[in-house]
Amino acid sequence: MVKYHITILLLLSLGLMTACQGDPPSPFSPEEVITSYSDNETTVDLMRLSRLNLALAETGQLADKVFHYTQAGSDGILVPWDMTAEAGERLSDAYWSMGHVAYSQRMAFEANVMDERDVNPRMVKRLIETNLVFGAYPVARKYIDILGKEKGWKKVAEGYRRLLDDDAAVEADPVLGAKRKCVPEKDFISLVRGIDEDLKDIIRFNPGYHKAIEYLGVIYLLDCEMDKFKEMLDEFYGTEALPELPASFAEAACMLSEIDRGYWKRMGVSSEMYKKYNDFKSRLENGLTPDKYKDTFWYYIMRVNSL
Amino acid sequence: MRKILPLIIPVFAAVSCAIKMEEPAPDTAEAAIFPDYKNVTVPPNIAPLNFSLEEGTEGVAILENSGKKLILKTKKGEFDIPEDSWREFAIAGSEITVTVGVKEDGKYVPRKPFPIFVSEDKIEPYVAYRLIDPGYETWNKLGLYQRCLESFKETPIMTNDKTDRNCMNCHSFKSRDPGTMMFHMRARNGGTFVWKDGSIEKLNTKTPQTISALVYPYWHPSGKYIAFSVNDIAQFFHSTNPNRVEVYDYKSDVVVYDVDNHQVSSSPMLMDTTRMETFPSFSPDGKTLYYCSTRQPQMPQGYKDVRYSICSIPFDQEKFSFGDKVDTVYNADKTGLDATFPRISPDGRFLLFAETAYGCFAIWHKDSELRMIDLKDGTFHTLDGINGPDADSYHSWSGNSRWIIWASRRLDGLYSRLFIAHIDENGKTSKPFLMPQKSVRHDKELMKSYNVPEFISGPVLFDRDEMADIAKNDPGVDVNFK
């Protein structure tokens, strides 16, 4: 009888172990990530923060709401590459989201290599996606075969098989088609000039992919690179890439008006926003707490400057 | 022979009772199989050429040679040829005819028979290689391995699970001798390790006079010297280019290391500051040092302007000295292309190299192809029959100069696999074949690349634990510049 119970227990634990092998597809939706993240979190965990920022980007809220949460520079978008599987995953996700397909592929590869499991299914999925985007179908097929053998991933893998050797099908796929449009015709050396210059190339090539410019502006703001941010607005505002300014960009445009009078107006910022900026300034000047502006770029840069 | 033949016939009898297959019609389609072993030329001592059926779900394969017949049924879509039976069919100088039948509507429908040509020329029994993720920057589990080509047995030479997951690379043998070899470990426990006369020596090879520690090696046939490049290597990643990765040098020179005296030496012509010299190799008689040389453009911006020529310089092994005249064997200025990894056939007749549009690291260039120059008369061989649609690079010769093995990305565009081809005494090549595996799934599923294949005449036998112990605990011998 005891033997029987032990066997049952063993079988149960084996079953549990097997179920845990390989993450199930899409463990959390971006909305769930955002909901689970408290906007009162003051301790910064870059991995968690990068998930949050990714979720904001994927739901089209990055440039509007990035400063609703405690931020820690652009490391909260692109975590430092410490050659771990976890950092590789976060980076692959971020580059994928911003439309930098080649670097997303690179980091997916690194993450899979560094993973102690033989296969990191989520990163193999990314390798399938990126290779389909590039039209590298033979190696995409290899990865589809490999992913299909991972518990819980067969359906996902098979979903990609129909896209093999079919450019039209890849282009019609809502996700892959959008990413393919981000692959610039003219090759550049990734990241040698900095991620910002790569993003600019992606934006110029595919101005309709707004995530790229949201990332670009937010990275500048998180790193307080105001000159570069202004250059970005000067080039892209009013174009298809940036027809109007999201909240954080508008806030930054108000600040830029300190050195370029009337800049906020030229950038289409509302009078209401500019009034708020002046209120923020006067509170600071009068020694009042500007806490009601905690969710603005102004507050972020004030905090950074005080560090 | 007499003992085994009766074993084959009963197998045929047993299976033939169960199958019905008509004679193939003249216009019958070719069989869809993997690997493509149709019309290939193989050495008589190669392992069985197992293959899979890439059409239908069930099939039979009939192997025929010299009146013998072997009938195999697919197991999970694959034909697994028994090693002892294969030996009876792989007769030197003969031809095996293979007829594949695919099960359709309960019957085996024959496909067009194809030959496998068995050469009279044997091949080395072993090949050494590194298995590594064909990646960008990181590595995790990697190692140097040796594979018996006469069977499917693969054993580790050295793996990084014993040395704190460090990187190891650039294994090189003196004229395919498994008892005289070297390789590097990088990062933790770094150093160059020489296995010679039954002992292991660790070297610290960076000198004040050289750009870097020793990098790409080639043994002198005497075993007294090893030519190396020293390189300041970098890499970057493309955004759109299908080549993905660009590995390049900022600077490089060529030096020769004196194994017994722990000294490196060079020549002003091999350390020209206006040029980059790399990928050295000796002629089989040891009197000439071949290497690649290019003008030094501004890097990385000028990466597409890097075009290596193949040059040679006399080498005097008695005096450990170099000649003062450089010959250009392949002139990149004239071809407009780029040549790397010169390797001379052991009979001294042919110079085999990788040709690509530009750059240093041919294996990352999809246009990289193997080329050959007949050193007897200068004839240029394009080797069209052996090059594939993707990168072909890193090649080595068998001791009898009749076989070459190289790494090719032709199967999926990324994971390199080893291909072998026969080259006759006039430089004529036969259709290459993928190094056979026990299961063909191996090559499809393995997420590692085969890297730097080198024929060896037997297995490397140093003790891996002793090697690891030396790597971790031996301070190593400092190499000096002469």
Side-chain angles (χ1 to χ4, degrees):
Chain A
M1 190 63 179
V2 175
K3 238 182 199 176
Y4 174 77
H5 280 301
I6 290 171
T7 313
I8 297 274
L9 275 172
L10 271 172
L11 283 172
L12 276 172
S13 34
L14 269 176
L16 275 175
M17 279 165 65
T18 316
C20 292
Q21 280 169 5
D23 299 327
S26 304
F28 300 108
S29 68
E31 289 79 7
E32 284 170 320
V33 171
I34 294 166
T35 310
S36 68
Y37 201 96
S38 163
D39 52 8
N40 291 322
E41 284 193 32
T42 49
T43 313
V44 170
D45 170 345
L46 287 180
M47 294 298 171
R48 264 174 62 71
L49 183 59
S50 70
R51 275 180 196 268
L52 169 76
N53 288 332
L54 175 72
L56 291 173
E58 287 298 302
T59 51
Q61 305 177 77
L62 181 66
D64 278 326
K65 293 194 174 168
V66 62
F67 295 109
H68 289 205
Y69 304 87
T70 304
Q71 294 290 341
S74 62
D75 284 357
I77 302 277
L78 294 169
V79 298
W81 171 223
D82 60 2
M83 298 202 187
T84 61
E86 191 182 9
E89 279 198 51
R90 296 286 79 76
L91 288 165
S92 178
D93 290 343
Y95 287 119
W96 180 246
S97 178
M98 58 183 69
H100 201 313
V101 182
Y103 233 67
S104 174
Q105 181 174 75
R106 182 228 158 160
M107 296 317 304
F109 198 97
E110 309 280 20
N112 191 56
V113 167
M114 296 312 287
D115 204 301
E116 282 308 306
R117 296 169 289 181
D118 285 339
V119 169
N120 174 331
R122 221 170 63 76
M123 289 298 97
V124 172
K125 174 175 173 278
R126 177 66 41 71
L127 291 172
I128 295 169
E129 292 168 326
T130 53
N131 280 295
L132 287 172
V133 167
F134 283 126
Y137 297 120
V139 77
R141 179 176 286 109
K142 178 189 183 90
Y143 291 132
I144 287 169
D145 291 343
I146 288 165
L147 186 64
K149 290 190 171 66
E150 293 297 305
K151 193 171 173 59
W153 289 87
K154 189 170 184 181
K155 205 172 161 190
V156 176
E158 290 310 310
Y160 288 118
R161 197 177 294 281
R162 67 180 178 81
L163 304 177
L164 287 169
D165 304 313
D166 190 343
D167 285 340
V170 171
E171 280 152 24
D173 182 272
V175 176
L176 303 186
K179 303 295 182 196
R180 188 175 270 196
K181 283 183 192 157
C182 291
V183 178
E185 260 172 9
K186 192 168 173 245
D187 184 41
F188 57 76
I189 303 173
S190 298
L191 265 61
V192 163
R193 306 164 299 167
I195 181 61
D196 55 336
E197 293 302 323
D198 288 11
L199 282 171
K200 281 183 196 169
D201 276 357
I202 292 167
I203 295 161
R204 287 174 193 131
F205 186 69
N206 182 10
Y209 189 77
H210 291 153
K211 279 182 209 161
I213 200 156
E214 288 207 25
Y215 272 109
L216 177 62
V218 166
I219 285 170
Y220 281 147
L221 296 182
L222 286 170
D223 290 341
C224 304
E225 298 262 22
M226 297 307 287
D227 291 345
K228 288 181 178 175
F229 179 78
K230 186 168 183 298
E231 276 174 31
M232 180 199 83
L233 290 193
D234 290 345
E235 177 176 354
F236 294 111
Y237 173 66
T239 69
E240 186 189 352
L242 192 62
E244 56 187 44
L245 300 192
S248 64
F249 291 12
E251 288 157 9
C254 292
M255 282 190 74
L256 288 167
S257 300
E258 299 287 341
I259 50 166
D260 184 351
R261 208 176 165 80
Y263 190 69
W264 64 277
K265 263 190 188 166
R266 297 203 300 280
M267 292 296 118
V269 177
S270 68
S271 307
E272 192 188 347
M273 168 77 83
Y274 194 61
K275 252 188 220 164
K276 280 183 184 173
Y277 172 62
N278 282 323
D279 182 48
F280 172 83
K281 271 201 312 181
S282 74
R283 277 173 175 269
L284 276 187
E285 283 158 9
N286 296 316
L288 297 170
T289 171
D291 279 2
K292 67 184 279 199
Y293 296 108
K294 259 176 126 171
D295 59 357
T296 64
F297 172 64
W298 312 319
Y299 193 89
Y300 172 80
I301 202 163
M302 176 196 78
R303 200 172 57 84
V304 170
N305 285 336
S306 69
L307 290 176
Chain B
M1 178 84 168
R2 278 188 184 169
K3 275 184 186 171
I4 295 171
L5 189 58
L7 290 175
I8 295 169
I9 292 169
V11 170
F12 168 55
V15 180
S16 64
C17 294
I19 66 157
K20 286 175 189 167
M21 188 157 76
E22 291 169 4
E23 283 292 310
D27 58 348
T28 301
E30 289 195 349
I33 61 167
F34 175 83
D36 179 9
Y37 286 146
K38 294 173 222 163
N39 304 296
V40 296
T41 299
V42 301
N45 57 329
I46 196 73
L49 266 58
N50 291 340
F51 61 95
S52 67
L53 194 59
E54 301 289 291
E55 54 176 323
T57 52
E58 267 184 68
V60 290
I62 303 172
L63 276 66
E64 294 173 275
N65 191 1
S66 309
K68 289 191 290 288
K69 207 173 203 180
L70 174 67
I71 302 181
L72 301 160
K73 272 189 161 183
T74 46
K75 288 178 199 160
K76 293 184 181 172
E78 296 188 17
F79 296 109
D80 183 359
I81 307 170
E83 286 187 45
D84 51 358
S85 304
W86 172 256
R87 291 277 153 256
E88 289 302 306
F89 283 78
I91 304 161
S94 74
E95 182 180 321
I96 302 169
T97 302
V98 183
T99 308
V100 169
V102 182
K103 198 165 192 181
E104 293 171 1
D105 301 326
K107 286 190 306 187
Y108 290 105
V109 180
R111 297 293 185 258
K112 188 175 174 183
F114 63 86
I116 294 172
F117 303 105
V118 185
S119 168
E120 294 194 343
D121 299 316
K122 289 182 82 172
I123 200 167
E124 263 71 9
Y126 280 82
V127 61
Y129 43 79
R130 180 169 67 149
L131 287 178
I132 185 172
D133 300 281
Y136 298 73
E137 185 179 5
T138 55
W139 68 87
N140 191 354
K141 300 167 195 168
L142 67 83
L144 310 177
Y145 294 85
Q146 53 201 348
R147 159 73 194 272
C148 178
L149 286 169
E150 296 175 341
S151 69
F152 299 108
K153 193 174 179 189
E154 180 188 76
T155 51
I157 296 174
M158 191 65 201
T159 47
N160 72 348
D161 56 335
K162 292 188 175 290
T163 49
D164 306 325
R165 293 274 169 89
N166 62 0
C167 182
M168 46 190 68
N169 56 22
C170 296
H171 53 281
S172 176
F173 300 84
K174 186 208 78 160
S175 308
R176 296 156 295 282
D177 174 5
T180 310
M181 75 160 304
M182 54 90 15
F183 66 100
H184 307 300
M185 290 192 204
R186 303 295 192 199
R188 275 167 291 188
N189 313 311
T192 295
F193 297 82
V194 177
W195 162 247
K196 188 169 180 271
D197 302 326
S199 64
I200 300 165
E201 186 172 53
K202 179 179 179 179
L203 304 173
N204 307 313
T205 63
K206 173 75 179 79
T207 76
Q209 293 85 358
T210 46
I211 293 165
S212 70
L214 303 175
V215 185
Y216 304 122
Y218 197 94
W219 280 84
H220 190 270
S222 68
K224 287 165 65 178
Y225 306 102
I226 312 172
F228 284 100
S229 60
V230 284
N231 312 63
D232 179 2
I233 304 172
Q235 63 177 357
F236 67 71
F237 310 100
H238 290 284
S239 62
T240 307
N241 192 319
N243 287 338
R244 295 173 187 236
V245 180
E246 205 66 56
V247 180
Y248 59 95
D249 286 342
Y250 279 108
K251 288 187 280 188
S252 68
D253 293 320
V254 164
V255 299
V256 175
Y257 170 65
D258 179 333
V259 176
D260 293 332
N261 296 307
H262 304 117
Q263 281 187 327
V264 291
S265 182
S266 188
S267 149
M269 280 166 281
L270 299 172
M271 297 183 92
D272 184 338
T273 53
T274 66
R275 301 188 69 82
M276 297 192 284
E277 302 86 3
T278 191
F279 301 131
S281 68
F282 284 109
S283 59
D285 63 8
K287 292 178 180 171
T288 306
L289 177 65
Y290 289 85
Y291 62 98
C292 300
S293 174
T294 180
R295 271 186 295 274
Q296 190 151 13
Q298 183 73 30
M299 296 299 284
Q301 301 87 336
Y303 74 96
K304 279 193 173 173
D305 300 325
V306 170
R307 284 185 183 76
Y308 286 96
S309 294
I310 296 175
C311 301
S312 70
I313 188 169
F315 178 73
D316 186 328
Q317 62 171 307
E318 300 306 323
K319 296 177 185 163
F320 188 16
S321 66
F322 303 88
D324 53 11
K325 184 175 169 285
V326 168
D327 278 338
T328 302
V329 185
Y330 174 104
N331 191 332
D333 287 339
K334 283 188 182 165
T335 63
L337 296 170
D338 169 79
T340 51
F341 295 106
R343 292 289 184 265
I344 315 295
S345 58
D347 62 8
R349 173 83 182 266
F350 298 111
L351 164 62
L352 186 66
F353 60 98
E355 187 178 62
T356 176
Y358 66 88
C360 178
F361 229 59
I363 195 67
W364 277 113
H365 286 193
K366 287 186 175 291
D367 68 337
S368 174
E369 301 206 310
L370 297 182
R371 306 287 190 221
M372 199 167 72
I373 295 171
D374 188 337
L375 295 174
K376 195 171 139 194
D377 57 15
T379 306
F380 188 85
H381 294 261
T382 55
L383 305 182
D384 293 336
I386 68 168
N387 286 302
D390 215 290
D392 289 287
S393 179
Y394 205 90
H395 37 275
S396 76
W397 288 92
S398 67
N400 60 8
S401 302
R402 293 287 76 86
W403 299 97
I404 58 170
I405 188 164
W406 73 99
S408 175
R409 294 194 199 267
R410 70 184 64 184
L411 292 188
D412 57 35
L414 182 60
Y415 292 86
S416 55
R417 297 290 179 256
L418 299 186
F419 282 78
I420 301 169
H422 184 263
I423 298 185
D424 74 12
E425 61 278 12
N426 298 313
K428 189 179 168 219
T429 55
S430 301
K431 182 176 172 180
F433 63 97
L434 179 66
M435 182 173 76
Q437 303 288 353
K438 177 73 176 162
S439 167
V440 303
R441 287 196 303 277
H442 174 89
D443 279 322
K444 290 184 175 181
E445 293 172 1
L446 181 70
M447 289 176 79
K448 302 271 186 205
S449 267
Y450 284 82
N451 185 231
V452 188
E454 291 283 355
F455 284 121
I456 39 178
S457 59
V460 179
L461 295 173
F462 64 68
D463 185 288
R464 286 190 291 141
D465 290 323
E466 185 191 352
M467 178 66 81
D469 184 52
I470 289 171
K472 288 177 180 174
N473 301 315
D474 189 320
V477 178
D478 289 341
V479 167
N480 299 306
F481 194 88
K482 183 186 165 190

